[in-house]
Amino acid sequence: MGRFLRSILISVLLLPVAATGQTTIIDSLSAAFRKADTNQKKLEAILILLEQHHSIHRDSLAQYVIIARKLAQKSNGHNKSLAEIAFANSNLRWGWTDSALSIIEKELPNNNAEDPVTRDIYFKLLRTKALAFGTKSDFKTALSILFQLVSEEERFKDSVSAAANMNTIASISIARNEPKEAFGWLYKAISFTGSAKKFKANQSAIYINMANAYQMIGKADSAKYFINKGILVSREVENLNTLASALRVQSDVYMQESKFKEAEASLKEMFDIRKKMTGGPQMIVDDNLMLIDFYLTTRQVDKAILLCKQNLLQGNLYDSTSGKGKLFNNNINLRLPYYEALARSYKASGNTKLYQQTLEDVIAAKDSFYLTNAAGAIAELQTKYEVQKKETTIVLQKLDLVQKNNLVYGSMGLLLFVVGMAFLGFNSYRKKEKLKMQLMKEEERRMSVKAVTEAEEKERKRISADLHDNLGAYANAVLYNTELLQLGENILKRKELMNDLQYASKDIIISLRETIWALKKDMYTADDCLLRIRNFVQPFGRYYPQITFIVEGMAPPDFALTGSKALHLVRMVQEAVNNSIKHAYAKNVTVSSSYKNGDWKIVVEDDGKGFPGQTFVAGNEQNGLANLRDRALTAGITLSIQSEPDKGTSIEMLVPTEILIQK
């Protein structure tokens, strides 16, 4: 997840906080509230002021909300709902997500999109609900709400709200490390804006997300262009939260150019704004990650490690004895980027032991994150949105046909014969159009069913291969120890074998969990792959004490593979090791990793009995070697097998530079 939380989750996706210093807009609105001479005027003024919740100081916001809710008690339902939305936003500013959701759920039944009077309130409630789930890193639920919102906003031609929510969907795409998907939503969002002042706030957020997406794909010039535009517009509209996020991205751009003095200046201004907004310790994950990256880049590793540990502190928020003035981070999804940053910090410091331990924490955290945000489920949501959009288009076309009917009937009222002819002709046209629409819907359903069937078949084959390659090795170890247990007479030896069987059973469960996790992962770093290989090989020393297992070398730095190619590579190594154990009768099995001239080479060698060359000619090979060849062909990996009787076997897997992805 290296960069993914460096995305600009503008609109409160990562616990935004507010402002001590007032902007000129807030000062003006505060003055208008103080001058109001009736309760109704005070309520109207304070509700307008609360629209600036993203920049008002947290404490001030809470006080304004109390006043607004009290004034709204004697007002109409519209103003009461606005006051409750402000109350929910205030809760989000303090990180009280569940309380915010409870407020929203109580208000939603009182508003709907079909009523023009409550439509704006309904859209604001749903947006706040989506942002609340985003705060919890539950992107799947947030997206389901946002897709519904965008569809309804397009139907009612609310371009301002639609642009804001399309930009938020793009933010989640960036968070999921999908910049190409983000660009689609960003360009669509910008097409919904115009030159009017009401679009400025959306444009500033869109420009900043554009910069972040271009930064992710390595286009520094485009990133610099859009971040400068974003900062300019953010200062103009005086949105402090957006401006602070923009400065964070600007600092990242400067760091990529090795302009550390300028990067530090942007970070300083960013933290000054955050301090004005909250008056206390930082709660923005992305801000802290940017500072950690700055420390690592400028070789201040100890400061980076300390900041990571501070943000990984856990405790009971309501326990007065747990430490006054401390910030607790108990959310596993928000802890994950700090674990990753801590791993990078330990690696930079040369502390291999703590680096390995932290990588294990990263794997455990990622299990939880991908369980919440399964890529397949998110893709399904997007497909549903596209289908719903097409159905909406069909409804609008039908409505257009009805309107045309009314126009025809009214204009042809004087000439009965002409009316009759026109009606018959138009009725025939409408039937044809209706038939065409039905055929389109049937074709869409057929293509959807076909796509799902093909995807399921592909997953079945993939899971079958994974179970053979990974769990097969552990099952073989269980069988081997069971046979020894049946023969053993020594009580101590039997106890030792029972312990080994217990370890093997646990490893089977862990391996199954890793297989399921791997199916949900879109991208593997080379370090991830080598760590998986190391974790697979090392336990065999317990099961086969007569064999020495060695994993040596390093993975190529700053490179990654797509999920399917990485999984094929890891499983190929596992199959090769498994074959050495089951068939070679080797005393030593070595897995070595090296990186040269842009290619990554992994070699599995044993000193076992080997076999003649014709044994592994296509058509004569066993399941293991056949799987190796199939996986190599599918993934584009060059496979080389060398073996001679009584001289061992060497299996070389060469990952060419063209399928490695630079992070």
Side-chain angles (χ1 to χ4, degrees):
M1 290 173 53
R3 278 184 68 99
F4 100 48
L5 276 173
R6 194 147 314 139
S7 64
I8 309 171
L9 297 180
I10 309 292
S11 350
V12 204
L13 275 184
L14 288 173
L15 289 177
V17 290
T20 41
Q22 302 293 305
T23 66
T24 57
I25 294 175
I26 292 173
D27 289 342
S28 174
L29 294 175
S30 298
F33 166 67
R34 290 193 296 270
K35 290 178 183 178
D37 54 3
T38 67
N39 283 344
Q40 183 60 31
K41 289 181 179 178
K42 285 183 179 292
L43 176 59
E44 292 172 357
I46 201 169
L47 288 176
I48 295 173
L49 173 59
L50 288 171
E51 291 291 328
Q52 299 293 317
H53 62 86
H54 44 70
S55 297
I56 301 175
H57 183 277
R58 251 186 339 197
D59 295 332
S60 300
L61 179 62
Q63 294 169 8
Y64 285 140
V65 166
I66 292 172
I67 296 170
R69 295 184 77 206
K70 187 174 181 180
L71 291 170
Q73 287 177 359
K74 298 180 181 180
S75 184
N76 57 42
H78 185 273
N79 286 336
K80 286 181 181 178
S81 293
L82 286 175
E84 291 305 300
I85 291 173
F87 187 28
N89 283 325
S90 178
N91 276 273
L92 286 179
R93 291 286 298 282
W94 287 94
W96 302 334
T97 310
D98 291 336
S99 298
L101 287 170
S102 176
I103 296 164
I104 295 164
E105 292 298 339
K106 288 179 182 178
E107 282 301 309
L108 273 172
N110 302 326
N111 301 273
N112 65 80
E114 302 301 326
D115 186 350
V117 177
T118 63
R119 184 179 300 151
D120 181 59
I121 299 289
Y122 174 76
F123 286 165
K124 287 179 178 178
L125 284 165
L126 276 188
R127 175 168 175 77
T128 307
K129 183 177 179 179
L131 296 176
F133 280 107
T135 299
K136 301 170 72 171
S137 294
D138 186 351
F139 295 155
K140 177 184 173 183
T141 306
L143 281 175
S144 68
I145 299 168
L146 289 168
F147 286 145
Q148 174 192 345
L149 252 177
V150 168
S151 178
E152 292 182 343
E153 288 161 348
E154 287 180 306
R155 181 159 64 98
F156 292 108
K157 296 180 171 53
D158 188 337
S159 56
V160 176
S161 296
N165 288 311
M166 288 173 184
N167 180 60
T168 304
I169 294 173
S171 295
I172 295 178
S173 297
I174 292 172
R176 294 172 49 234
N177 202 26
E178 296 287 351
K180 291 183 179 179
E181 181 179 292
F183 280 127
W185 286 105
L186 289 170
Y187 282 113
K188 189 173 182 180
I190 205 70
S191 72
F192 274 68
T193 66
S195 57
K197 187 177 180 180
K198 64 181 181 179
F199 295 110
K200 291 286 186 180
N202 282 341
Q203 287 170 348
S204 65
I206 293 168
Y207 291 149
I208 298 166
N209 268 340
M210 283 279 201
N212 203 35
Y214 275 118
Q215 185 79 338
M216 291 177 71
I217 64 174
K219 294 190 176 182
D221 290 341
S222 298
K224 185 184 296 185
Y225 170 79
F226 279 106
I227 197 58
N228 289 337
K229 288 189 68 172
I231 289 176
L232 186 66
V233 181
S234 294
R235 293 190 193 278
E236 180 182 344
V237 299
E238 295 186 273
N239 186 321
L240 297 184
N241 185 54
T242 305
L243 178 57
S245 298
L247 289 165
R248 179 179 66 239
V249 179
Q250 186 184 55
S251 176
D252 192 17
V253 172
Y254 281 138
M255 284 176 62
Q256 296 300 319
E257 297 178 329
S258 298
K259 295 181 178 179
F260 301 123
K261 190 173 291 185
E262 291 86 346
E264 187 174 17
S266 295
L267 281 177
K268 184 178 184 304
E269 184 180 357
M270 177 192 74
F271 280 110
D272 286 343
I273 291 173
R274 295 296 190 200
K275 191 173 181 181
K276 287 180 184 179
M277 292 167 67
T278 184
Q282 289 300 315
M283 290 294 289
I284 299 288
V285 177
D286 284 356
D287 292 353
N288 290 328
L289 292 176
M290 190 70 253
L291 184 57
I292 291 166
D293 276 357
F294 178 78
Y295 284 150
L296 290 177
T297 305
T298 55
R299 301 184 185 280
Q300 302 179 68
V301 180
D302 291 341
K303 289 185 179 181
I305 292 173
L306 178 61
L307 185 54
C308 289
K309 289 182 176 179
Q310 289 173 346
N311 284 281
L312 285 168
L313 186 65
Q314 291 179 280
N316 184 351
L317 201 62
Y318 306 101
D319 183 1
S320 60
T321 65
S322 64
K324 186 177 180 181
K326 293 182 179 179
L327 292 175
F328 296 133
N329 185 357
N330 299 328
N331 188 315
I332 190 63
N333 295 334
L334 297 181
R335 291 167 63 81
L336 176 54
Y338 289 118
Y339 277 131
E340 292 181 319
L342 184 59
R344 296 198 307 273
S345 301
Y346 281 137
K347 186 176 182 180
S349 70
N351 193 329
T352 306
K353 182 178 180 181
L354 290 178
Y355 171 60
Q356 291 269 16
Q357 290 177 1
T358 310
L359 285 180
E360 292 177 5
D361 292 331
V362 170
I363 291 173
K366 283 185 177 181
D367 283 347
S368 173
F369 180 84
Y370 285 112
L371 184 63
T372 303
N373 297 291
I378 290 176
E380 182 181 350
L381 285 175
Q382 188 144 353
T383 302
K384 287 182 179 178
Y385 161 73
E386 296 295 339
V387 172
Q388 185 182 34
K389 183 178 177 182
K390 289 178 181 177
E391 290 177 347
T392 301
T393 302
I394 292 171
V395 170
L396 291 174
Q397 289 175 342
K398 288 182 177 179
L399 178 61
D400 185 54
L401 288 174
V402 172
Q403 292 172 342
K404 288 179 180 178
N405 278 341
N406 292 335
L407 180 62
V408 170
Y409 299 151
S411 62
M412 297 296 176
L414 297 175
L415 300 172
L416 184 59
F417 175 76
V418 177
V419 168
M421 293 298 295
F423 172 77
L424 291 174
F426 190 78
N427 193 46
S428 175
Y429 164 77
R430 186 174 58 179
K431 288 180 179 179
K432 290 179 181 178
E433 287 297 305
K434 187 175 181 181
L435 180 60
K436 284 168 64 177
M437 292 175 192
Q438 290 175 343
L439 291 174
M440 285 172 59
K441 290 178 69 174
E442 288 299 323
E443 178 64 15
E444 286 175 1
R445 290 194 188 97
R446 189 186 68 79
M447 293 300 293
S448 177
V449 170
K450 181 180 178 182
V452 169
T453 302
E454 290 176 352
E456 288 177 347
E457 179 62 22
K458 184 177 179 181
E459 286 303 302
R460 279 195 292 270
K461 291 180 179 178
R462 183 175 168 186
I463 292 171
S464 175
D466 287 340
L467 292 177
H468 174 270
D469 295 348
N470 200 23
L471 297 185
Y474 289 120
N476 187 61
V478 170
L479 178 61
Y480 178 79
N481 283 338
T482 303
E483 292 173 349
L484 291 178
L485 188 64
Q486 290 174 338
L487 297 174
E489 298 178 355
N490 187 298
I491 295 176
L492 293 177
K493 183 66 175 178
R494 289 172 65 84
K495 185 176 181 181
E496 181 181 345
L497 290 171
M498 289 293 290
N499 288 336
D500 285 346
L501 283 172
Q502 184 179 14
Y503 285 128
S505 299
K506 290 180 179 178
D507 285 337
I508 287 175
I509 295 171
I510 293 170
S511 180
L512 181 59
R513 184 191 67 184
E514 289 178 349
T515 299
I516 296 170
W517 169 82
L519 292 172
K520 298 186 178 81
K521 188 172 174 64
D522 296 327
M523 189 75 65
Y524 284 101
T525 65
D527 278 334
D528 281 340
C529 294
L530 191 57
L531 179 61
R532 290 281 171 187
I533 292 167
R534 196 183 303 276
N535 289 344
F536 174 82
V537 173
Q538 286 176 344
F540 284 123
R542 294 198 304 268
Y543 312 138
Y544 305 100
Q546 74 277 16
I547 303 175
T548 299
F549 295 90
I550 299 172
V551 180
E552 59 188 13
M554 298 291 288
D558 301 323
F559 281 98
L561 294 167
T562 61
S564 61
K565 293 184 187 299
L567 193 55
H568 280 305
L569 175 63
V570 172
R571 296 308 192 210
M572 286 173 69
V573 174
Q574 292 174 345
E575 180 65 41
V577 172
N578 192 25
N579 285 344
S580 294
I581 294 171
K582 291 193 294 186
H583 307 302
Y585 300 100
K587 295 181 179 178
N588 297 283
V589 177
T590 301
V591 180
S592 59
S593 170
S594 61
Y595 178 66
K596 186 177 181 182
N597 298 328
D599 298 329
W600 182 18
K601 182 169 71 174
I602 296 180
V603 181
V604 179
E605 295 181 296
D606 66 56
D607 58 357
K609 66 178 185 178
F611 46 84
Q614 63 269 23
T615 305
F616 50 89
V617 172
N620 295 330
E621 44 201 14
Q622 298 298 318
N623 279 344
L625 292 178
N627 276 341
L628 278 174
R629 293 193 180 280
D630 289 344
R631 287 187 182 276
L633 184 62
T634 301
I637 296 171
T638 302
L639 178 66
S640 175
I641 305 175
Q642 296 181 356
S643 183
E644 293 183 33
D646 301 323
K647 292 187 178 181
T649 301
S650 174
I651 299 178
E652 177 185 302
M653 287 146 278
L654 187 68
V655 184
T657 184
E658 55 265 22
I659 68 172
L660 287 173
I661 302 168
Q662 189 163 11
K663 293 190 293 180

